[in-house]
Amino acid sequence: MNEWAAKDPISNFKEFLQEKNILTEEIDNEYINEIKVEIDENLQLAFEEEVVISSTSEELNDVYQEFEFQHFEENYETENIRFIDAIAEGLKQSMQKHEDLVLMGQDIADYGGVFKITENSLTDFGKDRVRNTPICESGIVATAMGLSINGVKSMVEMQFADFVSSGFNPIVNYLAKIHYRWNQQADVVIRMPCGAGVQAGPFHSQTNEAWFTKTPGLKVVYPAFPKDAKGLLNTAFNDPNPVLFFEHKALYRSIRQEVPTNYYTIPFGKAAFLQEGNEVSIVTYGAAVHWAMEALLEFPNLSVDLIDLRTLQPLDIETVFNSVKKTGRVLIINEDSIFGSIASDIAAQIAEECFEYLDAPIKRLGSMETPIPFTKNLEDQYLPKNRINEKLKELMAY
Amino acid sequence: MKPATTEFTTIKYPDTKLSDSTLLKLYRGMLKPRLIEEKMLILLRQGRISKWFSGIGQEAISIGVTMAMQEDEYILPMHRNLGVFTAREIPLYRLFSQWQGKANGFTKGRDRSFHFGTQEYKIVGMISHLGPQLGVADGIALAHKLKNENKLTAVFTGEGGTSEGDFHEALNIASVWDLPVLFCVENNGYGLSTPTTEQYRCKNIMDRGIGYGMEAHQIDGNNILEVFTKVSEIAESVRKNPRPVLLEFITFRMRGHEEASGTKYVPQD
Ligand SMILES: Cc1ncc(C[n+]2csc(CCOP(=O)(O)OP(=O)(O)O)c2C)c(N)n1
């Protein structure tokens, strides 16, 4: 310590400057006095300043950067394409629309990504904008943050949503909080190929949206259909806030739909009705939407409001409330295990808001509270898909 | 205390062609954060401010690096880099207001101390978590590169922070993408109470540059002229030929980790 005190950067430099006759005691004193006056005057200002007062609405407003949704209409020309093609198309059209948009991800350039979503991006947009990254999830999310600070929009493709855990810190602590903290946008879309039903085991099957809906400052999108996927992805790129965009792997190649060929957008925070009825509400999103549709084939006479949430943050809870108030019965299904899930939170909100309208206890259905098993038998048992029928009967019999 | 590297035992100022006014500017530049800190330590004892991380003894690094940068180049400082903020001439009342959680600060009272950024002064302050700032610097530098701007970005970390995985990732990304980033490691001997011998086992942090295929330099962080001239030279060269550079500044933390924690674990000599 003494040795280092002798190495003080200021006193040594002062001596040096004095020896060279560059600094005199007089100038030194002048500096010190000037600075001290500056400090005192400014401290005075700060001490005199009132303590901060804010309203709850002002605090809430600053969590997200203001974003005015711009609606681009769908045209009538459509094409029958798969979920995965719709994502690729949205990505391509957004790359054309936003000329500075940069894509980053593992093996996304020449190789086209493990799901081949960016297959032609490199030829279309060049290697500056379509970037293979080293296997550094945390560093790349932080890089995306830096791009946004310096005015460039970007997308990060997680190879699998499971691996986002290695980039969790910058998402929940940096991107999510920066606008609230100092009014800086985090203009980043993180694409998350997720979900089970593909016999991929504990580390390639998770649907981890609830890790993020818990954190204020993030938007979370989870489409179930090709048309929604494309329109919502386009919106994600227009929105200057950090967006986690979940894409269920099991839907990629199994779900087809007529999708408008042009560039169009779908607003966040608007659920979709797939069926309207008045006996029961089924609220769900992602792959579970398709499971619910399949299960309902066995209830041809049941009059059901089937609601696909489409985005989880913002969440269209009003639509859910209105539906439950109409039907008096509700089943909420999500693929995630139930504790701390989206379904649980929606159930709690319904209980608070619609208690007097309920004719039966709110039912939630999700996966088992275990890691996701590999083999088909075990995975089928783990997932809620085969329990929908039974749960619905229980609810209707109450 | 013997720090891991003691090649710089006394300060030998190199011959420079710097003008007298530049020399005086460097001197006054260091004086300002020192005097502010001395005032803060008094206020702290009086209980008028809450927490303080001291950069006393490390001023030459903040001042030398900031003055070697152009005004519109981003700097990502850490908790001991008051000199970065003063050298960018942020009005002091705004800094004080920030520390007191008031509206004239930069976060409307929502975040504390140096945890803020400002586009106006091209400073991107830390979050509490050590590490992510290094990758953020990569992104800022990448944006410059994509926009064909010959700008560099400087980011700070302590030697303790180099143990984070984010340090590795950020240097790795910067090297494979040739990003114009100066990774400034202030090796002050301690990470909170942990000495360098319990933090890492390579001889010098600079040596890690080899592992990243990255140019690296070790600089006497207490020698303002060495810091300023070397960093200026490197900065100029990086602007022309974009690439990351690892800089290890050897220095010493004269006060506790923060003012409540003391320095009992540091031998007196
Ligand atoms: C991720 C994370 N882990 C732990 C801490 C707590 N912490 C704050 S500063 C510090 C020591 C940092 O040492 P170093 O990087 O050498 O910087 P110095 O304080 O010596 O300037 C620690 C452990 C933190 N802020 N972030």
Side-chain angles (χ1 to χ4, degrees):
Chain A
M1 188 91 110
N2 293 340
E3 179 191 321
W4 280 92
K7 281 201 60 178
D8 183 77
I10 299 179
S11 56
N12 277 285
F13 194 48
K14 177 178 166 183
E15 237 170 73
F16 169 80
L17 292 177
Q18 284 177 331
E19 271 168 29
K20 297 247 167 195
N21 292 323
I22 296 170
L23 181 71
T24 60
E25 207 54 52
E26 208 182 346
I27 301 179
D28 191 35
N29 283 332
E30 198 182 297
Y31 284 173
I32 292 174
N33 287 334
E34 281 168 11
I35 296 170
K36 281 190 167 166
V37 168
E38 187 186 347
I39 293 172
D40 288 340
E41 284 175 1
N42 281 276
L43 258 179
Q44 187 70 17
L45 283 175
F47 277 126
E48 279 166 6
E49 198 186 334
E50 300 289 319
V51 295
V52 172
I53 297 169
S54 176
S55 63
T56 51
S57 67
E58 194 184 335
E59 293 304 290
L60 287 167
N61 276 343
D62 281 354
V63 173
Y64 295 95
Q65 163 114 344
E66 211 176 287
F67 165 58
E68 215 168 296
F69 172 73
Q70 212 189 339
H71 189 73
F72 290 85
E73 298 278 345
E74 301 155 12
N75 64 13
Y76 295 108
E77 193 193 325
T78 61
E79 206 185 340
N80 191 271
I81 55 174
R82 300 168 305 173
F83 194 93
I84 196 165
D85 306 320
I87 304 254
E89 211 171 275
L91 207 52
K92 182 173 176 172
Q93 290 175 357
S94 287
M95 282 291 274
Q96 287 161 342
K97 178 169 193 292
H98 305 281
E99 284 179 3
D100 68 334
L101 172 60
V102 172
L103 310 182
M104 299 186 285
Q106 291 156 25
D107 310 289
I108 69 163
D110 308 76
Y111 189 70
V114 292
F115 298 105
K116 300 295 172 194
I117 285 176
T118 51
E119 189 140 43
N120 298 312
S121 304
L122 184 64
T123 6
D124 290 345
F125 303 105
K127 64 181 192 322
D128 271 355
R129 294 182 63 199
V130 182
R131 309 184 71 90
N132 267 345
T133 72
I135 308 166
C136 299
E137 286 78 9
S138 181
I140 292 299
V141 172
T143 298
M145 182 68 249
L147 281 170
S148 181
I149 288 174
N150 203 354
V152 174
K153 196 185 268 297
S154 67
M155 179 220 76
V156 178
E157 174 178 301
M158 288 291 154
Q159 199 154 65
F160 286 84
D162 307 68
F163 303 143
V164 76
S165 48
S166 297
F168 194 64
N169 182 40
I171 297 176
V172 300
N173 284 316
Y174 218 124
L175 277 62
K177 300 181 182 17
I178 196 165
H179 191 268
Y180 177 73
R181 292 170 57 240
W182 57 278
N183 200 31
Q184 167 63 49
Q185 67 185 34
D187 193 359
V188 180
V189 174
I190 302 178
R191 288 191 30 252
M192 305 276 280
C194 65
V198 289
Q199 289 93 57
F203 310 110
H204 286 78
S205 306
Q206 294 171 85
T207 181
N208 42 19
E209 66 279 9
W211 297 359
F212 301 99
T213 47
K214 181 75 200 93
T215 304
L218 303 171
K219 296 196 177 178
V220 180
V221 180
Y222 205 144
F225 294 95
K227 189 173 154 189
D228 287 345
K230 181 176 164 184
L232 290 167
L233 185 62
N234 286 336
T235 302
F237 283 117
N238 293 338
D239 192 316
N241 292 286
V243 180
L244 285 119
F245 193 89
F246 286 82
E247 304 165 6
H248 201 291
K249 306 188 292 285
L251 306 182
Y252 271 163
R253 294 181 161 77
S254 66
I255 302 296
R256 302 184 78 96
Q257 199 179 24
E258 287 294 326
V259 177
T261 53
N262 71 321
Y263 176 88
Y264 64 94
T265 54
I266 295 175
F268 290 175
K270 290 238 179 326
F273 281 94
L274 301 174
Q275 234 177 271
E276 293 192 51
N278 47 37
E279 287 178 274
V280 61
S281 306
I282 298 181
V283 179
T284 182
Y285 59 94
V289 172
H290 300 278
W291 305 338
M293 284 163 62
E294 204 182 311
L296 283 176
L297 296 176
E298 291 178 38
F299 298 81
N301 299 320
L302 190 62
S303 172
V304 183
D305 253 1
L306 178 57
I307 297 173
D308 172 5
L309 294 168
R310 302 200 291 188
T311 69
L312 305 176
Q313 173 53 259
L315 179 69
D316 187 2
I317 196 72
E318 280 310 314
T319 292
V320 174
F321 290 161
N322 290 336
S323 170
V324 174
K325 285 175 183 173
K326 178 178 66 174
T327 63
R329 284 171 208 269
V330 61
L331 168 62
I332 314 155
I333 310 169
N334 66 204
E335 178 174 336
D336 194 4
S337 48
I338 276 294
F339 191 88
S341 66
I342 307 295
S344 293
D345 223 276
I346 291 175
Q349 293 195 51
I350 294 171
E352 282 182 350
E353 201 62 32
C354 311
F355 183 73
E356 288 161 13
Y357 297 85
L358 289 170
D359 297 325
I362 302 163
K363 291 284 179 196
R364 300 168 303 155
L365 183 61
S367 288
M368 288 167 58
E369 305 287 333
T370 66
I372 305 169
F374 161 55
T375 26
K376 183 157 172 33
N377 275 347
L378 295 184
E379 192 183 41
D380 286 349
Q381 171 176 280
Y382 162 86
L383 288 170
K385 185 177 174 187
N386 297 328
R387 290 190 287 274
I388 296 176
N389 195 309
E390 178 195 341
K391 201 73 165 184
L392 195 53
K393 279 187 188 148
E394 220 179 273
L395 175 61
M396 296 319 293
Y398 184 88
Chain B
M1 151 76 197
K2 291 266 179 285
T5 319
T6 43
E7 273 160 48
F8 309 111
T9 42
T10 54
I11 298 187
K12 256 194 79 198
Y13 290 104
D15 285 332
T16 66
K17 296 202 174 63
L18 298 175
S19 67
D20 288 1
S21 74
T22 303
L23 293 171
L24 287 172
K25 221 173 137 194
L26 289 168
Y27 175 69
R28 196 181 189 282
M30 290 194 292
L31 209 49
K32 193 163 173 179
R34 173 70 58 93
L35 292 172
I36 294 172
E37 279 214 34
E38 284 174 354
K39 185 75 185 184
M40 289 304 133
L41 296 180
I42 293 168
L43 293 177
L44 194 72
R45 264 176 247 126
Q46 294 171 345
R48 298 178 77 187
I49 57 167
S50 61
K51 198 166 174 145
W52 190 257
F53 294 91
S54 173
I56 284 185
Q58 300 180 214
E59 293 93 342
I61 304 167
S62 294
I63 297 301
V65 170
T66 307
M67 288 184 52
M69 306 273 294
Q70 294 170 356
E71 256 173 40
D72 58 351
E73 290 177 328
Y74 284 94
I75 305 185
L76 295 86
M78 293 299 282
H79 50 293
R80 299 189 202 286
N81 297 117
L82 173 57
V84 169
F85 297 85
T86 57
R88 280 275 159 102
E89 292 179 17
I90 292 182
L92 295 186
Y93 75 92
R94 295 204 63 190
L95 276 182
F96 299 151
S97 181
Q98 166 67 21
W99 300 339
Q100 292 176 21
K102 291 179 175 172
N104 283 333
F106 294 85
T107 60
K108 302 185 180 174
R110 292 169 185 166
D111 207 343
R112 62 186 202 184
S113 60
F114 295 112
H115 296 190
F116 68 92
T118 146
Q119 290 283 5
E120 198 181 342
Y121 299 94
K122 291 283 181 278
I123 290 177
V124 178
M126 62 191 292
I127 66 168
S128 284
H129 297 65
L130 306 167
Q133 81 278 6
L134 297 152
V136 173
D138 284 351
I140 293 174
L142 175 59
H144 282 312
K145 229 181 130 160
L146 294 173
K147 294 189 267 187
N148 291 316
E149 296 166 344
N150 295 326
K151 297 279 166 208
L152 63 101
T153 301
V155 58
F156 287 88
T157 175
E159 87 290 344
T162 68
S163 302
E164 290 285 355
D166 277 335
F167 177 81
H168 161 71
E169 293 193 14
L171 269 71
N172 190 53
I173 292 164
S175 74
V176 296
W177 287 355
D178 297 315
L179 301 177
V181 180
L182 302 186
F183 293 101
C184 303
V185 180
E186 294 188 65
N187 191 345
N188 65 8
Y190 286 89
L192 214 161
S193 73
T194 305
T196 54
T197 48
E198 291 175 37
Q199 194 69 251
Y200 59 85
R201 277 294 161 93
C202 52
K203 186 159 171 279
N204 298 302
I205 285 185
M206 175 187 76
D207 299 338
R208 293 193 202 172
I210 299 166
Y212 298 105
M214 189 185 293
E215 176 183 331
H217 303 266
Q218 198 174 50
I219 295 174
D220 180 354
N222 283 36
N223 183 331
I224 182 68
L225 291 187
E226 191 179 325
V227 174
F228 180 68
T229 52
K230 275 205 180 156
V231 176
S232 298
E233 213 173 280
I234 293 164
E236 204 35 54
S237 146
V238 168
R239 282 181 203 113
K240 288 204 188 88
N241 170 22
R243 64 188 190 281
V245 177
L246 174 61
L247 300 175
E248 179 183 13
F249 297 96
I250 304 299
T251 184
F252 191 71
R253 198 190 69 210
M254 290 306 295
R255 305 193 61 87
H257 168 65
E258 48 110 358
E259 287 308 319
S261 60
T263 57
K264 276 205 281 289
Y265 44 85
V266 183
Q268 196 56 35
D269 47 35

